Amino acid sequence: MEAYYYVVFGVLVAVLAALEFSKSSKDRITTSAAFNAFKNNYLVVYSLMMAGDWLQGPYVYALYQHYNYSQGDIGRLFIAGFGSSMLFGTIVGSLGDRYGRKRASVTYCVTYILSCITKHSPQYRVLMLGRILGGIATSLLFSAFESWLVAEHFKRGFEAQWLSLTFSKAIFLGNGLVAILAGLVANTLVGSFSLGPVAPFDAASCVLAIGMGIIIYTWPENYGDPSEGKTIVSQFQQAASAITSDEKIALLGAIQSLFEGSMYTFVFLWTPALSPNKQIIPHGFIFATFMLASMLGSSLASRLLASTDLKVESYMQFVFIVAAGSLCLPVLISFFVEPVVAQGGSISPGGRFNLLGFCLFEACVGLFWPSIMKMRSQYIPEESRSTIMNFFRIPLNIFVCIVLYNVSAFPITGMFGMCAVFLLLAAFLQRRLMLVAEIHRNRLVETWVAEKGVDSESEPLNI
């Protein structure tokens, strides 16, 4: 493997270490022992849940190839997963709000374990069932756990600012360190131990079963809307009403869909962007490098979220602009760098530049996750949290399905350009969200001053 990859990886490690060790007391949040125990329990569970997801990721496509399915057949399997998440996501989110987020989290484990078991069968219909179950599980992963955490955090009377600490640590571990380790473990099972491409799925089942046991024995149950006899339809109506009546929630949903849509499109595009003529690249090592960059972003996010002077709505607009610029790099390179036409060989000069830009984008991803979680905890009403969060995923899944279906119809630079435009639009909407949130806060201040009859300048407010 070329020294270039080690240099990029080493630089990221050095920057991450410098960022972590340079944190002062101002960058750290002082908490209580009870909160630390609660946080650590959640981090263990979340890391296990993400490990179960990351173990599968590198070998889903490879497994389908192992069963001799064509690219078109594999594409339809992927579309089934995203379509399933779109169709059933809101339903399972509503069921979680109504019947309990702990139950929804356990359901995630059971559903994903069943999805892993289907990978042992080469039959297309069984694999399709597995993709549908995987889509349902994905919706639960990105709604039930966060909803349980937020509700339980405030139920126990912890300070709101402490929530950002849990979010940033969860992304640092679950989407960073655990992702790197999961990729290495999966590679070892398939490569060194020669257990075949289904082995990572069996390992994922074991990890998910351990996490499910911890959830069952240590997590209390919490719910969304406590009203009796509330139907799923009425929950949908309540969630839709919250989105349409509160501009902040609608903006947050649009921002999330635009960024995540671009992110999932990037997942499909980075390999052909780095090896357009079948250049030999170390996919596993590059994946680990991306996850390291994401850890760097989440480490920076923990510092930004700990600041009492900097609002998350303010800095995120710049994160989206940087992300847009990083995905514009392949477009610019196509104009200024002579393309390599020879087949095979090592990574091209343009590919080297693209790799740096993609690492920058992954750092933005690491910043995005804890920051969007923080904003969701502020703006999404507790009674319909899971339902609304899965509503946000509907346009995301539609977008990804369209991209997957037409991925060969557009040049790769055009796809990256489209993602950059979406990210710039997300930056514009983020600025709008910042202004709307500030107007809302000022109104609250004016109302509070009018009711209390005090001077807001002489008595500080924490709204």
Side-chain angles (χ1 to χ4, degrees):
M1 190 166 61
E2 293 183 48
Y4 177 77
Y5 300 109
Y6 292 109
V7 171
V8 174
F9 192 89
V11 169
L12 290 174
V13 169
V15 174
L16 177 61
L19 192 61
E20 283 294 304
F21 288 117
S22 66
K23 289 182 178 178
S24 64
S25 58
K26 294 181 180 179
D27 302 314
R28 304 181 189 278
I29 302 175
T30 303
T31 58
S32 65
F35 170 76
N36 288 332
F38 169 73
K39 177 196 68 178
N40 292 336
N41 172 270
Y42 178 79
L43 291 178
V44 169
V45 171
Y46 184 80
S47 296
L48 289 172
M49 299 301 101
M50 293 306 300
D53 190 48
W54 288 120
L55 279 165
Q56 304 175 54
Y59 288 96
V60 175
Y61 197 100
L63 178 68
Y64 297 149
Q65 282 186 321
H66 176 72
Y67 289 145
N68 296 318
Y69 287 108
S70 66
Q71 185 177 12
D73 291 334
I74 296 173
R76 284 188 285 274
L77 287 169
F78 275 91
I79 291 174
F82 286 106
S84 168
S85 181
M86 177 183 65
L87 293 175
F88 299 109
T90 310
I91 296 175
V92 297
S94 299
L95 292 175
D97 285 331
R98 183 178 182 184
Y99 295 107
R101 280 72 178 267
K102 174 183 176 179
R103 290 189 180 93
S105 300
V106 172
T107 302
Y108 160 79
C109 298
V110 173
T111 306
Y112 225 174
I113 289 173
L114 292 175
S115 176
C116 291
I117 292 174
T118 63
K119 301 301 188 292
H120 282 272
S121 172
Q123 296 185 21
Y124 195 77
R125 65 180 66 181
V126 177
L127 295 174
M128 183 66 75
L129 174 62
R131 289 300 300 176
I132 294 173
L133 292 172
I136 296 172
T138 300
S139 296
L140 290 168
L141 175 62
F142 291 106
S143 60
F145 292 91
E146 183 180 329
S147 297
W148 180 90
L149 170 66
V150 174
E152 198 64 28
H153 180 96
F154 289 113
K155 182 190 294 185
R156 300 189 184 198
F158 299 135
E159 294 186 21
Q161 190 185 15
W162 296 358
L163 195 58
S164 62
L165 178 63
T166 307
F167 287 148
S168 58
K169 290 294 183 183
I171 300 304
F172 184 86
L173 294 173
N175 289 36
L177 183 61
V178 168
I180 295 173
L181 295 176
L184 295 175
V185 170
N187 187 73
T188 301
L189 292 173
V190 176
S192 302
F193 294 164
S194 302
L195 296 178
V198 77
F201 298 91
D202 293 335
S205 297
C206 296
V207 170
L208 291 168
I210 294 171
M212 180 171 62
I214 297 175
I215 293 172
I216 291 173
Y217 289 106
T218 65
W219 281 22
E221 186 61 274
N222 63 52
Y223 303 87
D225 193 337
S227 59
E228 296 292 336
K230 200 173 185 68
T231 65
I232 293 180
V233 174
S234 61
Q235 284 181 284
F236 288 164
Q237 292 174 340
Q238 183 177 6
S241 176
I243 295 173
T244 55
S245 62
D246 190 334
E247 186 179 359
K248 299 188 298 297
I249 299 177
L251 286 169
L252 193 63
I255 291 167
Q256 178 178 320
S257 296
L258 288 167
F259 186 89
E260 290 190 42
S262 301
M263 180 184 68
Y264 285 119
T265 303
F266 167 78
V267 169
F268 290 98
L269 295 180
W270 73 261
T271 297
L274 297 180
S275 57
N277 294 313
K278 298 183 179 180
Q279 283 89 355
I280 301 172
I281 60 174
H283 293 82
F285 194 84
I286 291 175
F287 173 79
T289 304
F290 287 163
M291 295 303 100
L292 182 60
S294 180
M295 288 178 67
L296 195 156
S298 62
S299 177
L300 180 58
S302 67
R303 176 174 293 192
L304 296 174
L305 290 170
S307 172
T308 56
D309 300 324
L310 185 63
K311 298 292 185 182
V312 61
E313 295 86 356
S314 176
Y315 72 75
M316 276 307 296
Q317 56 187 319
F318 300 105
V319 172
F320 293 136
I321 292 173
V322 172
S326 67
L327 292 191
C328 265
L329 198 57
V331 181
L332 298 175
I333 287 175
S334 67
F335 287 105
F336 296 105
V337 177
E338 189 71 22
V340 176
V341 295
Q343 296 290 313
S346 61
I347 189 170
S348 66
R352 294 173 187 267
F353 285 114
N354 280 332
L355 180 60
L356 297 178
F358 294 165
C359 287
L360 181 59
F361 177 75
E362 284 291 344
C364 292
V365 172
L367 272 161
F368 168 80
W369 282 116
S371 302
I372 198 74
M373 289 175 175
K374 175 66 174 178
M375 289 189 286
R376 286 196 297 238
S377 70
Q378 293 174 333
Y379 300 133
I380 298 180
E382 173 58 32
E383 63 271 12
S384 304
R385 183 174 300 277
S386 295
T387 308
I388 292 175
M389 288 170 61
N390 277 304
F391 257 118
F392 290 170
R393 297 186 63 82
I394 292 176
L396 161 66
N397 287 307
I398 292 175
F399 171 74
V400 175
C401 287
I402 292 174
V403 169
L404 279 175
Y405 190 79
N406 297 284
V407 70
S408 60
F410 301 98
I412 190 170
T413 53
M415 301 293 284
F416 276 113
M418 177 188 66
C419 291
V421 171
F422 286 163
L423 290 170
L424 288 175
L425 179 58
F428 172 79
L429 295 179
Q430 182 66 53
R431 179 164 183 79
R432 173 63 184 170
L433 175 61
M434 180 184 68
L435 296 175
V436 172
E438 186 64 26
I439 292 172
H440 178 70
R441 182 183 182 279
N442 290 337
R443 288 175 180 171
L444 289 178
V445 171
E446 292 173 359
T447 302
W448 190 88
V449 170
E451 291 177 350
K452 299 295 183 179
V454 297
D455 184 359
S456 62
E457 294 183 358
S458 62
E459 186 170 340
L461 301 175
N462 293 313
I463 299 178

